[in-house]
Structures are given as C-alpha cells and as structure tokens.
C-alpha cells in the first residue's frame, strides 16, 4: 500500500470512527434517558428542539464551526459531543493502522463499538446495560464461529475469566463494583478470548487506577466517591485489541486475534 493510499485509508477510518462515535452517543444518551432509539430520525438541539440541518451533523467539523452555540437559541453544544466524536476518530484510526484493510478490521471495529457504547452508558447513566454487554458477547461468539471449535472455546474461556475476576472483586470488596461490570467483562471476554481479556483487565485497572489517583491528588474527587469502572474496562478492551498480540509477543507468546 503506497503512503498516500494508506493516509487516505486512515483518514476515512477516522471519519467513520467519528460518525460511529456520534451515533453511539445518541444511542447511549437515549438509552440512559429512557427515550426510544428510533423515534426522532434526526437529531435536534437539546435546548430549543430545532431540527439540525445536514451541515450541523458532520462529526467534529460541525462542533468546531458551531462552537458559539445553536444558531436559533444560542445554547452551547456540550463539549462531550466533541470528546466522543474525537475518541471515535482516534479509535477508528488506531484500529485501521493496527489491522490494515482486512476482515479482522471489521471485527475489531464492531467489538470496539460495543465497548464504546457500554463505556458511554456507564459514563452518562452510571449503568452497564446487560443488553449491551450481552450484545457485545453475542457478537464476539458469532464472529468466533469462523474460528471453529478452538475459536469458540477461547471465547467461552475469555467470558469466564472476565466475569470471574470481577465477580471475585465484587464478593471480596462487598460493593466496590457492580454486577454490570461483571457482565461487561463477560461480553468483552467472549469477544477477545482469554489472553487478550487478561491484558484488557490489567490495562483497564491500571489506567483507571492512575486516573483515580490523579483526580484524588488534584482534589477533584474524595476518597469515598465512586468512580464508574466500566469506561476503564472498555478502554482496556480497546487497548487490548490494538496492543494485545504485540504485548504477548514480547514474551514469545503468539496470540492471534480473533482466533487461532
Ligand atoms: Zn437551539
């Protein structure tokens, strides 16, 4: 692949990722607010309800253009819209860079989208929805049919490992984490297989711990405050899809994803 073709490929993947982020943002917001997903087919201003035009719905670009606010009522557009779209773009570009133009890239994008959605509902509503966690696991197992019996077994082992580790923490800490986190990791495990799930748990806890320490040190949170863990577990899952095989190769272990 020439450099120009590669650059265009990465750019389009980032644009698709931003659009996916924008879409998942709507799904997560409506789920948390218990509104129907498909009722209003187009997005409208959160403040005045005016339907947005096509040019106001371009991910990232529209936010930068409309920074000063809605054209009708002047309401500020929440920064989280930009954050979610930028995160989507980054994930799209990273996955495309890592997996290239391949079927695996489609799998990786589907699984990363599921992880992203679960992170958003946990961030917005403090809740991991079993339906979305199950959907993630279901998609993972469907994908694994291509890997035959070993692929499916790896998915089951991953689900058991993910669920088991969180379950042990819940029981030992008596309420530090919720069962939603356990279903999220069961779904993640089915999609990632047991080795990448172990790496996802490790990176998720490390990133979560580092950010919690940072927030504590800066006084943004108190020791007793609860921090949702789901977004960090989901982030760990995405980091694992990108870096897992490389990490295991450092120890001479060949991990092939999505299956052997
Ligand atoms: Zn408005």
């Amino acid at each position: 692949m020439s450099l120009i073709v590669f650059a265009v490929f990465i750019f389009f993947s980032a644009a698709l990722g931003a659009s996916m982020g924008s879409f998942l943002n709507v799904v997560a917001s409506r789920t948390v607010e218990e509104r129907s997903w498909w009722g209003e087919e187009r997005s409208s201003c959160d403040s005045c309800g005016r339907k947005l035009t096509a040019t106001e719905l371009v991910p990232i670009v529209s936010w930068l253009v409309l920074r000063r606010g809605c054209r009708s009522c002047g309401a500020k557009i929440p920064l989280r819209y930009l954050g979610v779209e930028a995160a989507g773009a980054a994930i799209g570009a990273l996955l495309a860079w890592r997996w290239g133009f391949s079927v695996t890239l489609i799998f990786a994008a589907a699984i990363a989208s599921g992880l992203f959605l679960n992170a958003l509902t946990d961030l917005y509503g403090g809740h991991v929805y079993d339906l979305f966690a199950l959907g993630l696991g279901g998609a993972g197992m469907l994908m694994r049919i291509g890997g035959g019996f070993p692929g499916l077994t790896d998915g089951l082992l991953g689900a058991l490992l993910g669920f088991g580790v969180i379950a042990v923490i819940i029981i030992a800490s008596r309420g530090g984490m919720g069962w939603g986190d356990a279903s999220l990791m069961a779904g993640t495990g089915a999609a990632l297989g047991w080795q990448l799930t172990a790496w996802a748990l490790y990176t998720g806890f490390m990133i979560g711990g580092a950010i919690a320490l940072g927030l504590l040190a800066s006084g943004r949170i108190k020791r007793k405050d609860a921090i949702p863990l789901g977004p960090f577990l989901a982030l760990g899952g995405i980091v694992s899809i990108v870096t897992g095989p490389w990490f295991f190769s450092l120890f001479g272990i060949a991990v092939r994803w999505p299956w052997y």
Side-chain angles (χ1 to χ4, degrees):
M1 212 187 273
S2 80
L3 191 61
I4 300 227
V5 174
F6 185 70
V8 168
F9 167 60
I10 296 290
F11 176 82
F12 270 101
S13 303
L16 271 179
S19 305
M20 187 49 120
S22 175
F23 169 71
L24 295 176
N25 192 35
V26 171
V27 173
S29 304
R30 292 187 180 178
T31 301
V32 167
E33 292 160 16
E34 297 182 347
R35 287 150 63 200
S36 84
W37 294 344
W38 313 112
E40 316 136 53
E41 72 245 46
R42 295 179 62 208
S43 296
S44 47
C45 170
D46 288 339
S47 269
C48 67
R50 181 178 62 87
K51 293 261 180 277
L52 299 179
T53 61
T55 54
E56 290 172 293
L57 290 169
V58 184
I60 298 180
V61 177
S62 290
W63 196 92
L64 296 173
V65 173
L66 299 172
R67 219 168 358 167
R68 291 203 203 107
C70 169
R71 278 182 203 145
S72 300
C73 70
K76 284 256 184 276
I77 301 159
L79 185 61
R80 71 179 157 94
Y81 286 39
L82 178 67
V84 167
E85 287 162 7
I91 293 168
L94 268 175
L95 292 178
W97 165 76
R98 173 62 183 83
W99 293 104
F101 190 69
S102 64
V103 176
T104 306
L105 175 61
I106 297 169
F107 289 149
I111 300 310
S113 300
L115 288 165
F116 201 8
L117 177 59
N118 280 289
L120 290 177
T121 66
D122 203 12
L123 271 178
Y124 296 166
H127 196 73
V128 172
Y129 291 80
D130 283 334
L131 174 68
F132 292 153
L134 269 175
L136 174 62
M141 290 309 280
L142 270 180
M143 166 188 91
R144 288 182 171 283
I145 291 174
F149 186 70
L152 291 167
T153 309
D154 190 23
L156 284 179
L157 287 175
L160 277 176
L161 175 66
F163 186 86
V165 167
I166 306 292
V168 166
I169 295 173
I170 291 174
I171 292 162
S173 71
R174 270 165 280 165
M177 290 167 71
W179 287 102
D181 295 323
S183 19
L184 173 58
M185 279 317 296
T188 305
L192 295 191
W194 74 270
Q195 288 159 307
L196 295 194
T197 299
W199 180 230
L201 283 165
Y202 181 79
T203 51
F205 279 118
M206 283 296 154
I207 296 168
I211 288 179
L213 281 178
L215 290 173
L216 267 176
S218 67
R220 301 273 300 269
I221 57 167
K222 303 221 167 64
R223 194 167 278 273
K224 284 269 158 81
D225 290 347
I227 301 178
L229 190 70
F232 297 114
L233 294 174
L235 181 59
I238 292 170
V239 169
S240 185
I241 294 176
V242 175
T243 66
W246 162 81
F247 171 75
F248 282 100
S249 76
L250 297 179
F251 303 92
I253 303 167
V255 174
R256 293 192 56 212
W257 189 79
W259 56 71
Y260 282 99

